[in-house]
Amino acid sequence: MNGETLHSDTFSLQDKVVLITGAARGLGLGYATAAAAAGAHVVLSDRDGAALGRSIEQMRAAGYACSAAPFDVTSQAEVTNGVAAVLAQHKHIDVLVNNAGNQLRKPFVDYTLAEWHSIMDVHVTGSFLVTQAVLRDMVKRRSGSIVMIGSIVVQSVRGTIAPYTTAKGAVTALGKALAVEYGPLGIRCNIIAPGMYETDFNRALLDKPEIYDALTQKIPLKRWGKAGDIAPLLVYLASDAGRYVNGHVFTVDGGLLAAL
């Protein structure tokens, strides 16, 4: 076997089914595109049906194998039915990416209980519900890769996003717990922690030049990230290349944490 073949086979997701939540746009769509380019059939999930449809059309036009699974990660009934439908169609889910998220910025004392619950429900409860639904099938097959999407704010906190920071800390801890509990069954779980990325998720920061420029100057690479900068890491964690990687947090931030 030559080096090119070894490299291709090791990072291949051929015949794999990858389910990604919050995949209609932003980094979620970037993860989906990278996985599809590596040979996977990608199932994009999102509660925004219109945006999901546009992304599916975009990926299919590029020649990628993909399908849609529109469900709300905070609804147990929708998650149960949505995952069951994916399994009925594809027979297995090899990789799960818990990417669905929401954000709100305001002083901690101004958050309402409903706003707190909204952020916790999407990030933490959503990861719980979807992972539990998918994990049952992975346990039967004693194989699978789960990727949680954390954040650098777990390690370096910014003001006005206390609920989000708390939720990402919980998601990170959940990922490590799953790695330990299900590693013996051949199921790996890792966490990707993005830094500052130019997506709609950060629109509130991108639309304020003074904040955007100040953060840019703190990043050693002197630019914000794009989806293509982080998406290849998912392929590594999902493929045979990452077969011995379990329970780790991978920060992709252009060096921001190193500079703080």
Side-chain angles (χ1 to χ4, degrees):
M1 179 180 296
N2 60 42
E4 182 178 351
T5 302
L6 175 61
H7 182 276
S8 177
D9 291 346
T10 302
F11 288 88
S12 174
L13 294 179
Q14 193 67 40
D15 300 324
K16 301 290 187 182
V17 176
V18 179
L19 172 61
I20 304 175
T21 65
R25 57 175 65 83
L27 296 187
L29 181 57
Y31 296 134
T33 302
H41 180 101
V42 182
V43 182
L44 287 74
S45 176
D46 205 287
R47 65 181 181 182
D48 186 339
L52 188 60
R54 291 191 295 270
S55 295
I56 290 291
E57 290 181 5
Q58 174 184 325
M59 290 189 64
R60 286 178 175 168
Y64 295 134
C66 62
S67 55
F71 59 77
D72 184 342
V73 298
T74 68
S75 167
Q76 186 171 22
E78 288 192 32
V79 169
T80 299
N81 293 335
V83 171
V86 175
L87 289 172
Q89 180 178 0
H90 299 287
K91 309 306 179 186
H92 54 91
I93 296 173
D94 302 285
V95 181
L96 167 64
V97 184
N98 283 304
N99 175 72
N102 59 349
Q103 179 62 291
L104 185 62
R105 293 177 171 87
K106 61 168 61 178
F108 177 72
V109 295
D110 292 339
Y111 278 96
T112 66
L113 182 59
E115 290 168 342
W116 171 271
H117 280 309
S118 173
I119 292 174
M120 292 298 161
D121 285 349
V122 173
H123 292 275
V124 185
T125 304
S127 293
F128 164 76
L129 290 173
V130 180
T131 301
Q132 193 175 68
V134 172
L135 193 55
R136 292 189 178 99
D137 176 68
M138 289 182 173
V139 168
K140 291 178 182 178
R141 295 184 295 107
R142 300 180 74 87
S143 176
S145 175
I146 300 169
V147 178
M148 301 290 192
I149 305 302
S151 172
I152 62 167
V153 300
V154 176
Q155 300 180 67
S156 181
V157 181
R158 297 184 66 250
T160 72
I161 55 170
Y164 176 80
T165 300
T166 304
K168 286 305 189 183
V171 167
T172 300
L174 175 59
K176 292 183 178 182
L178 293 172
V180 172
E181 184 172 352
Y182 289 95
L185 298 181
I187 300 164
R188 298 179 293 108
C189 186
N190 292 285
I191 305 98
I192 295 177
M196 308 310 298
Y197 281 78
E198 293 183 349
T199 66
D200 285 341
F201 192 81
N202 286 320
R203 180 54 53 193
L205 302 180
L206 295 172
D207 288 342
K208 296 179 179 178
E210 67 280 8
I211 296 178
Y212 178 85
D213 292 340
L215 287 170
T216 300
Q217 290 307 308
K218 292 182 178 181
I219 302 170
L221 291 183
K222 301 305 178 187
R223 67 176 179 86
W224 286 45
K226 301 183 184 300
D229 295 321
I230 196 170
L233 176 58
L234 171 64
V235 176
Y236 169 70
L237 295 174
S239 69
D240 198 45
R243 61 188 176 274
Y244 199 58
V245 181
N246 187 39
H248 287 281
V249 179
F250 291 83
T251 302
V252 188
D253 67 350
L256 179 57
L257 285 184
L260 294 177

